[in-house]
């Protein structure tokens, strides 16, 4: 009996994880991190729903953290198999997972610093019976730092222990992430790879980000019966977007009869703006912001979205369509991933080859762009009051350097925060988007948002260009199902908020498909 279990991104968007049980092998599909409210996400990420030692191998659709971020938790506790993915994804994971480990460590350290500092302030105030002085605050801050931009790890740990305070521990460390990389194998698109007894996977281009793949899994029964075909889409990309090839519509003849398609539905009931409008809308937003004397802050995924923004800004600057203010890519991860993009031109579409590569031009570098590396340089950019553009991770404003740019500029109406992608429920990015786009919002009655434990008035302009999304909209999703040469029997609709998944499943059923929406923990038996 072959069955698929749904354990993450089922009835929600993040935390992608599913299990294919062939009766002989257990194959994990994705191992993603849940993102959202800190406490709730922490609990979900820590509670691994599957016995890791029983998993034979894993197939990874792409490198985004909500699909790959729990790999270090998988590999440090009992898993002894291999993680099978595409070559570009493997190369990207060298940076993505180490960065994720760094973020886990840094966030835990910062939260411990904040709680300890607050405790010491309160203790000093209680001891002196009056308001703590600025001089004493400075003394405590200096005690907990080795430099203005570096926390004293040993002092923070020692003082927590001395005062009996609970410490936040990272979900996993950079060392855990480094060890997990030895489990990962990269393969070319189109090659058939053995992932279990009588079970193979073949990767087709998904067009979502560099290396993203549709995973076509074939399970051959021991009794020699008809093979079962499962197509796991991972995240589906858009059509006619810059840089990457479009999602596959032409599958090999032996792969066209699909017993179960597992398809995402992030935008299952929404239409994106036309791809052709992206450059013009970005130009207009940038010009309006510069005319106010402000800067443009763009929270962006380091992988995929950042490179697309660089690509379009490169074209706008070359054409003279916008003022050539400095462009800061403030994410060491984005800098490294941009290098990975440069190593895989075989994934580019024809237009990118024609506009840039055939002329010997690097699509991801131009005169006005600066890749920020050090924390000190990043802090100087946050305090720069002259017009500029900052592209910084994380894409949903949940961690990383974007938080510091926001806290320095979110209160000033001359600046613009530009949302260029999906913001999951309960993330800071979603809150800024929802509050910032309210029609009756004014600078006088600014709503407040909490960043790194402190509240700030949201007075900056907030704009959204949804056409930048790397996720297919409802028409593009339907194009993959009905516009390809596939013949699909059953469809599991996953990776979407309830209203999006329900609308897409309903549309599929109206078109004659057998579509259903699994709940977390549900199992579907294939016959």
């Amino acid at each position: 009996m072959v069955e698929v279990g749904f354990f993450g991104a089922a009835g929600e968007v993040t935390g992608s994880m599913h299990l294919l049980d062939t009766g002989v092998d257990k194959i994990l599909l994705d191992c993603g991190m849940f993102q959202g409210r800190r406490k709730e996400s922490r609990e979900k990420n820590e509670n691994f729903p599957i016995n890791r030692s029983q998993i034979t191998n894993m197939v990874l659709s792409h490198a985004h953290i909500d699909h790959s971020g729990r790999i270090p938790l998988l590999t440090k506790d009992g898993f002894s198999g291999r993680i099978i993915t595409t070559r570009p994804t493997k190369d990207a994971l060298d940076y993505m997972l180490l960065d994720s480990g760094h973020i886990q460590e840094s966030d835990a350290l910062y939260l411990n610093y904040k709680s300890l500092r607050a405790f010491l302030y309160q203790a000093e105030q209680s001891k002196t019976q009056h308001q703590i002085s600025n001089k004493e605050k400075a003394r405590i801050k200096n005690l907990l730092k080795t430099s203005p931009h570096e926390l004293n790890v040993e002092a923070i740990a020692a003082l927590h222990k001395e005062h009996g305070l609970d410490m936040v521990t990272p979900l996993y460390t950079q060392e855990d992430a480094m060890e997990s990389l030895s489990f990962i194998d990269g393969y070319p698109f189109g090659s058939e790879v053995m992932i279990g007894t009588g079970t193979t996977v073949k990767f087709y281009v998904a067009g979502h980000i560099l290396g993203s793949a549709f995973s076509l899994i074939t399970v051959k029964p021991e009794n020699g019966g008809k093979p079962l075909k499962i197509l796991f889409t991972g995240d589906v990309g858009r059509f006619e977007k810059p840089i990457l090839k479009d999602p596959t519509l032409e599958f090999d003849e032996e792969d066209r009869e699909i017993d179960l398609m597992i398809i995402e539905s992030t935008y299952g009931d929404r239409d994106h703006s036309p791809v052709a409008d992206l450059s013009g809308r970005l130009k207009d937003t940038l010009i309006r912001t510069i005319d106010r004397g402000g800067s443009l802050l763009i929270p962006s995924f380091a992988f995929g979205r950042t490179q697309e923004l660089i690509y379009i800004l490169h074209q706008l600057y070359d054409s003279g369509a916008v003022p050539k203010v400095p462009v800061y890519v403030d994410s060491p991860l984005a800098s490294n991933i941009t290098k990975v993009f440069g190593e895989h031109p075989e994934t580019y579409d024809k237009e990118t080859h024609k506009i840039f590569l055939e002329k010997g031009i690097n699509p991801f570098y131009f005169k006005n762009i600066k890749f920020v590396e050090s924390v000190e340089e990043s802090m100087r950019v946050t305090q720069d009051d002259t017009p500029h553009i900052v592209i910084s991770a994380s894409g949903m404003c949940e961690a990383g350097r974007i938080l510091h740019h926001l806290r320095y500029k979110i209160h000033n109406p001359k600046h613009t925060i530009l949302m260029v992608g999906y913001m999951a429920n309960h993330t800071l990015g979603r809150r800024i988007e929802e509050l910032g786009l309210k029609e009756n919002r004014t600078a006088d009655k600014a709503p407040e948002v909490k960043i790194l434990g402190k509240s700030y008035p949201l007075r900056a302009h907030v704009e959204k260009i949804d056409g930048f999304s790397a996720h297919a909209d409802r028409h593009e999703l339907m194009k993959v199902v009905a516009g390809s040469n596939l013949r699909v029997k059953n469809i599991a609709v996953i990776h979407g908020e309830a209203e999006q998944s329900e609308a897409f499943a309903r549309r599929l059923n109206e078109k004659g498909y057998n579509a259903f929406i699994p709940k977390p923990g549900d199992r579907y038996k294939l016959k």
Side-chain angles (χ1 to χ4, degrees):
M1 178 67 70
V2 177
E3 68 176 19
V4 177
F6 302 91
F7 297 100
E12 56 191 329
V13 178
T14 65
S16 179
M17 180 185 290
H18 316 286
L19 184 71
L20 171 63
D21 188 341
T22 69
V24 180
D25 297 293
K26 290 180 170 61
I27 311 297
L28 194 65
L29 307 179
D30 282 357
C31 191
M33 186 177 290
F34 288 97
Q35 297 166 313
R37 290 193 181 111
R38 187 182 298 275
K39 183 178 179 181
E40 181 182 344
S41 297
R42 174 76 185 217
E43 290 173 356
K44 284 184 173 182
N45 287 322
E46 285 182 327
N47 296 324
F48 216 88
I50 304 163
N51 187 329
R52 281 160 269 200
S53 64
Q54 294 180 359
I55 298 171
T56 307
N57 288 305
M58 176 189 152
V59 173
L60 177 64
S61 65
H62 65 287
H64 273 156
I65 290 300
D66 63 320
H67 291 255
S68 70
R70 279 191 285 174
I71 286 176
L73 294 179
L74 170 71
T75 57
K76 77 172 186 176
D77 191 11
F79 175 75
S80 59
R82 305 303 299 169
I83 298 168
I84 312 301
T85 191
T86 66
R87 285 177 176 171
T89 295
K90 180 185 185 301
D91 291 346
L93 288 172
D94 289 347
Y95 301 108
M96 295 288 286
L97 293 180
L98 288 176
D99 182 75
S100 181
H102 172 69
I103 288 172
Q104 303 305 316
E105 291 180 338
S106 298
D107 282 0
L109 177 61
Y110 188 77
L111 289 169
N112 289 327
Y113 161 73
K114 293 281 286 186
S115 65
L116 179 59
R117 194 179 74 175
F119 171 82
L120 295 176
Y121 284 179
Q122 291 171 1
E124 184 65 24
Q125 187 172 329
S126 175
K127 184 173 69 176
T128 60
Q129 297 295 310
H130 58 73
Q131 190 75 17
I132 184 172
S133 67
N134 288 333
K135 183 178 180 179
E136 183 59 22
K137 286 182 179 179
R139 187 192 73 79
I140 292 171
K141 282 185 181 180
N142 290 334
L143 178 67
L144 303 181
K145 291 185 175 183
T146 56
S147 73
H149 305 300
E150 187 172 354
L151 298 177
N152 190 326
V153 179
E154 292 180 359
I156 290 170
L159 287 165
H160 267 86
K161 185 176 181 179
E162 177 185 335
H163 295 288
L165 302 175
D166 291 334
M167 286 192 70
V168 177
T169 57
L171 190 63
Y172 54 81
T173 65
Q174 292 181 78
E175 183 179 353
D176 295 329
M178 177 64 77
E179 289 178 1
S180 75
L181 296 176
S182 64
F183 289 79
I184 302 169
D185 298 324
Y187 292 89
F189 285 97
S191 60
E192 197 166 28
V193 184
M194 190 70 68
I195 56 174
T197 304
T199 304
T200 61
V201 66
K202 185 190 294 184
F203 295 119
Y204 289 89
V205 172
H208 173 63
I209 60 169
L210 184 79
S212 62
F214 295 152
S215 304
L216 194 292
I217 298 170
T218 302
V219 182
K220 298 176 181 177
E222 288 183 294
N223 60 12
K226 182 178 179 291
L228 292 170
K229 299 278 186 179
I230 298 105
L231 181 65
F232 174 48
T233 68
D235 287 351
V236 182
R238 298 201 63 195
F239 289 83
E240 298 179 8
K241 285 198 77 179
I243 307 174
L244 299 178
K245 295 175 182 177
D246 287 349
T248 302
L249 296 179
E250 294 294 322
F251 292 80
D252 295 340
E253 186 173 351
E254 67 271 18
D255 294 331
R256 295 173 189 174
E257 297 284 346
I258 305 298
D259 295 280
L260 177 66
M261 173 184 277
I262 306 169
I263 189 169
E264 68 124 319
S265 58
T266 310
Y267 290 107
D269 194 33
R270 296 182 193 169
D271 297 326
H272 292 319
S273 302
V275 170
D277 291 349
L278 297 181
S279 179
R281 294 184 66 192
L282 178 59
K283 179 189 76 172
D284 293 344
T285 300
L286 177 56
I287 290 172
R288 282 195 298 271
T289 303
I290 293 172
D291 285 347
R292 292 195 300 268
S295 295
L296 184 62
L297 305 185
I298 310 178
S300 177
F301 291 114
F303 189 2
R305 193 69 41 79
T306 291
Q307 290 73 36
E308 187 176 354
L309 286 163
I310 293 171
Y311 182 101
I312 293 175
L313 285 169
H314 191 167
Q315 289 183 301
L316 288 173
Y317 276 48
D318 279 358
S319 68
V322 295
K324 295 182 179 180
V325 299
V327 179
Y328 297 105
V329 179
D330 191 8
S331 165
L333 175 60
S335 300
N336 286 323
I337 293 297
T338 303
K339 294 174 187 174
V340 175
F341 263 77
E343 294 165 0
H344 289 280
E346 75 279 6
T347 64
Y348 300 171
D349 60 18
K350 293 178 181 179
E351 184 180 25
T352 302
H353 278 271
K354 182 178 180 181
I355 295 174
F356 290 107
L357 269 62
E358 291 177 7
K359 299 175 183 177
I361 301 172
N362 184 341
F364 308 109
Y365 183 80
F366 53 97
K367 183 179 179 181
N368 304 85
I369 195 167
K370 169 69 176 174
F371 290 89
V372 178
E373 295 297 337
S374 70
V375 173
E376 290 76 13
E377 187 179 0
S378 176
M379 293 304 293
R380 286 196 294 271
V381 174
T382 65
Q383 298 171 52
D384 182 359
D385 201 41
T386 61
H388 58 265
I389 301 169
V390 172
I391 304 170
S392 186
S394 72
M396 296 187 190
C397 307
E398 282 297 285
R401 294 183 180 180
I402 189 62
L403 296 178
H404 299 283
H405 292 285
L406 288 170
R407 69 190 182 97
Y408 270 89
K409 292 184 168 67
I410 197 169
H411 65 280
N412 193 324
K414 74 179 182 180
H415 301 304
T416 299
I417 304 167
L418 177 62
M419 302 303 191
V420 292
Y422 179 79
M423 301 291 165
N425 268 334
H426 313 306
T427 59
L428 175 60
R430 172 67 74 90
R431 180 162 175 77
I432 291 173
E433 180 180 302
E434 290 178 342
L435 293 174
L437 294 178
K438 282 187 175 179
E439 292 183 6
N440 59 353
R441 183 173 74 97
T442 64
D444 295 335
K445 296 181 179 180
E448 293 201 339
V449 295
K450 189 170 284 188
I451 303 173
L452 296 172
K454 184 177 178 181
S455 292
Y456 296 85
L458 174 54
R459 296 195 182 98
H461 289 254
V462 177
E463 297 192 28
K464 180 177 177 63
I465 304 178
D466 62 16
F468 273 103
S469 175
H471 288 271
D473 64 17
R474 58 180 176 176
H475 295 295
E476 291 165 319
L477 288 170
M478 187 59 73
K479 188 174 183 178
V480 170
V481 179
S484 67
N485 61 359
L486 296 174
R487 294 179 289 274
V488 184
K489 294 179 182 177
N490 304 288
I491 303 175
V493 178
I494 57 156
H495 202 290
E497 292 173 3
E499 65 274 13
Q500 299 298 316
S501 296
E502 288 166 4
F504 187 54
R506 186 166 55 248
R507 190 175 185 207
L508 287 168
N509 285 321
E510 288 170 355
K511 296 289 184 181
Y513 295 95
N514 179 32
F516 63 97
I517 304 171
K519 299 182 179 66
D522 279 359
R523 295 175 184 269
Y524 180 83
K525 295 180 180 178
L526 286 89
K527 300 176 183 178

